[in-house]
Amino acid sequence: MSTTVDVQGLRHVYKGGTVALDGVDLSIGAGLFGLLGPNGAGKSTLMRIVCTLLKPSAGTVTVFGHDAVKERRAVRAHLGYLPQEFGAWRLHRVEEVLDTLADLSGLDDRAARRERVDTVLDNVGLGDVAHRKVKKLSGGMTRRLGIAQALIHRPRLLVVDEPTVGLDPEERIRFRQLMATLGRERTIILSTHIVADLGTGCNDLALLDGGRVVFRGSPTQLLERAAGQVFEVTLPMSAPQPEGDFEIVSRTASQNEATYRAVAAPGGVPEGARIAASPTLEEGYLAFMVARGRAEALVSDEHFGEHDELELAEPPPVEDGTGKEAHP
């Protein structure tokens, strides 16, 4: 696997002494790469450094062989970025947004630019709303417009931060399908604390906690670490909710009984419980964190929360082809 992004000994300390990253080593190749971790794990800090928005305290990051600190323009030429919040351009039409950004990216020929805008809008499923103002888009459409603006200059690397926060289940599914499709032709780094965001297109992931990589491997390998920790127990409806060294992830009622599905720390499965044959990736993630004594870092909403990471990122400037930088 050829390396797209190479991270070596990366460390970052914010003013006041907060250590966001503490010796991160990662090599990321083509396809969809998942960057998982609870709030404050350092995910957004890592992505801001990759996107040349933040200089690390120590260590190096290279993107297609270009240093993210010393060769920022070269890195940005290959980079498309969707920040956690993409809400600008509200009074502009969708096609106007992309046309302006394509122009700033150096696509001067009007006909070629028009063709590129139409192609990208069709790719993200927004061709039918090209004339609609951004403020009239749904949350899911706005996120897809964010992807479109990141793709307009044909980047080889796409960086996406918490892409489905605030979206309904149908839009989340649509977004996962889009990421899987786009990942066939480029590298995508997708940062999230909602594990289901990764979908089936992800074959490689890393889990950050406390600014360090605590797991690196495939989704299958993460699930293997959860073997024997995910279980179900059925109790009468009148019985109290079970308690113990485990985290309940779901409850299903059926007639006079309730079935609880839970994730236990090693050795914490209660007597009489049924071990789940097919844990989900979310449950594998939770099992890993429970084993680390970090279940408190996970907040329930689609298992793992709907809150934003503290270290918000901002879109990188777009070079206009003249050496100047514009900030959309």
Side-chain angles (χ1 to χ4, degrees):
M1 180 181 66
S2 60
T3 299
T4 298
V5 179
D6 188 46
V7 179
Q8 295 295 326
L10 199 63
R11 178 177 171 83
H12 190 74
V13 182
Y14 284 102
K15 292 180 180 179
T18 300
V19 179
L21 298 172
D22 190 15
V24 171
D25 296 320
L26 280 175
S27 292
I28 301 172
L32 177 57
F33 180 85
L35 187 61
L36 300 176
N39 261 13
K43 303 187 303 297
S44 287
T45 300
L46 174 57
M47 294 174 71
R48 291 180 68 186
I49 293 172
V50 171
C51 292
T52 76
L53 298 173
L54 186 65
K55 292 183 180 180
S57 302
T60 61
V61 173
T62 58
V63 178
F64 294 107
H66 299 290
D67 189 283
V69 173
K70 300 176 182 178
E71 302 174 274
R72 296 167 65 198
R73 289 184 178 177
V75 169
R76 290 174 181 176
H78 297 294
L79 174 70
Y81 178 45
L82 174 60
Q84 191 171 354
E85 296 293 335
F86 179 77
W89 310 89
R90 287 180 53 79
L91 299 180
H92 292 74
R93 290 182 289 112
V94 168
E95 59 186 0
E96 288 178 333
V97 174
L98 291 192
D99 185 74
T100 300
L101 293 176
D103 191 15
L104 290 172
S105 297
L107 191 55
D108 299 324
D109 183 87
R110 179 173 294 184
R113 195 165 67 240
R114 177 73 265 174
E115 181 179 357
R116 178 60 183 163
V117 168
D118 290 342
T119 297
V120 172
L121 286 177
D122 286 339
N123 287 345
V124 300
L126 292 178
D128 293 338
V129 296
H131 298 287
R132 188 178 299 179
K133 287 189 175 181
V134 174
K135 68 178 183 179
K136 298 292 186 180
L137 299 180
S138 67
M141 287 180 176
T142 302
R143 299 305 283 173
R144 280 184 271 151
L145 176 58
I147 288 293
Q149 62 82 27
L151 292 173
I152 196 65
H153 61 296
R154 296 183 175 89
R156 298 165 64 193
L157 169 64
L158 186 62
V159 179
V160 185
D161 193 6
E162 300 285 356
T164 67
V165 169
L167 300 189
D168 61 37
E170 183 177 348
E171 283 289 0
R172 282 179 174 171
I173 292 172
R174 188 193 302 269
F175 202 92
R176 288 197 292 267
Q177 292 171 340
L178 177 60
M179 289 296 98
T181 300
L182 294 175
R184 296 170 188 165
E185 300 178 352
R186 58 184 54 80
T187 298
I188 299 178
I189 303 176
L190 194 157
S191 169
T192 184
H193 62 274
I194 302 175
V195 186
D197 282 354
L198 300 182
T200 58
C202 176
N203 295 313
D204 193 14
L205 60 86
L207 201 163
L208 261 62
D209 190 24
R212 297 183 178 184
V213 177
V214 294
F215 174 85
R216 172 65 193 276
S218 68
T220 299
Q221 290 171 320
L222 183 60
L223 284 174
E224 290 172 353
R225 299 282 291 267
Q229 290 179 245
V230 183
F231 68 90
E232 293 182 345
V233 60
T234 301
L235 299 173
M237 289 288 288
S238 58
Q241 180 171 295
E243 297 181 356
D245 190 13
F246 51 80
E247 297 291 326
I248 295 175
V249 295
S250 67
R251 175 182 179 274
T252 304
S254 177
Q255 296 181 345
N256 297 322
E257 295 180 327
T259 297
Y260 296 87
R261 191 173 176 101
V263 177
V269 176
E271 185 176 351
R274 304 181 300 276
I275 300 298
S278 301
T280 65
L281 185 58
E282 293 97 325
E283 290 167 340
Y285 173 40
L286 181 55
F288 185 91
M289 297 300 283
V290 167
R292 286 177 52 80
R294 292 282 287 146
E296 77 285 351
L298 307 175
V299 180
S300 179
D301 179 45
E302 201 182 55
H303 293 310
F304 305 117
E306 240 348 353
H307 52 284
D308 299 342
E309 192 159 345
L310 296 177
E311 302 147 0
L312 298 181
E314 57 188 87
V318 179
E319 294 185 8
D320 64 4
T322 65
K324 299 179 181 180
E325 294 178 345
H327 294 264

